Amino acid sequence: MTSSDNAARGSHQPESRTGFVLTDAPAPADIAAISDALDRFNVEHTGIADRRPLAVLVRDPATRQVVGGLTGRTSLGLFFLDLFYLPPRLRGSRLGTQILRKAEDEARARGCRTAVLYTITFQAPGFYQKYGWKRLGEVPCDPPGTSRVFMTKDLTAPSGESVRSR
């Protein structure tokens, strides 16, 4: 390869001093480096610096240990619901409804107009649909016959209308 070939391909070739590591155990600092760099890029291009974590935690009253709850983040007018779990003993108690309502209300207070999530067909798509979430699409996954369900919700409706009471 000639030097002109290298120049023509320049930005498409990794630098010789750049390496990569494939891992199933990235350090939290490494994840933060990528996340923070992407956030800086987004801020540079939008002028909006509003990315924030959002969590509604459920603690055991005796131990104060987290036993469930919801985690996500808000950014650029979107609420990303990442994880939502309640132990079986707390399901069916309307606690999930309260958690979802608190998270959606906080997202609205932060200026979010839309929410997004994915769940799995054997998890909770029906729960979210009951509270106004709409399916965007599904992608098959394992085990066979199972899908990841991608959902969205318009958060511009007042809280009382978007998460109805039973």
Side-chain angles (χ1 to χ4, degrees):
M1 181 180 293
T2 68
S3 61
S4 62
D5 290 335
N6 279 338
R9 298 179 67 181
S11 64
H12 300 288
Q13 294 294 317
E15 295 180 35
S16 61
R17 64 181 179 264
T18 303
F20 61 87
V21 175
L22 175 63
T23 180
D24 64 351
D30 296 335
I31 294 169
I34 295 166
S35 179
D36 293 346
L38 181 58
D39 188 49
R40 284 190 303 276
F41 176 86
N42 291 346
V43 170
E44 288 170 11
H45 288 276
T46 65
I48 302 169
D50 67 347
R51 182 184 72 155
R52 291 172 53 196
L54 190 158
V56 181
L57 306 176
V58 177
R59 295 185 184 275
D60 179 282
T63 66
R64 303 304 301 153
Q65 295 297 309
V66 172
V67 296
L70 175 153
T71 65
R73 64 195 183 284
T74 57
S75 177
L76 301 176
L78 292 175
F79 165 42
F80 298 88
L81 194 163
D82 293 328
L83 302 170
F84 193 171
Y85 174 79
L86 285 176
R89 72 180 191 281
L90 296 177
R91 296 177 193 163
S93 66
R94 296 185 39 94
L95 184 58
T97 300
Q98 294 170 14
I99 292 168
L100 186 60
R101 177 180 290 137
K102 285 186 181 302
E104 290 177 359
D105 287 348
E106 176 61 20
R108 279 186 199 88
R110 295 180 185 189
C112 294
R113 296 178 307 281
T114 306
V116 295
L117 65 80
Y118 79 80
T119 186
I120 302 175
T121 50
F122 62 80
Q123 290 178 337
F127 171 79
Y128 296 110
Q129 286 177 310
K130 184 167 51 173
Y131 296 108
W133 290 75
K134 307 285 185 221
R135 288 176 185 239
L136 286 173
E138 294 186 31
V139 177
C141 64
D142 287 330
T146 303
S147 295
R148 295 208 184 246
V149 180
F150 293 82
M151 305 183 84
T152 188
K153 182 173 182 176
D154 178 357
L155 296 177
T156 60
S159 172
E161 293 174 28
S162 62
V163 179
R164 65 177 192 245
S165 300
R166 286 192 193 192

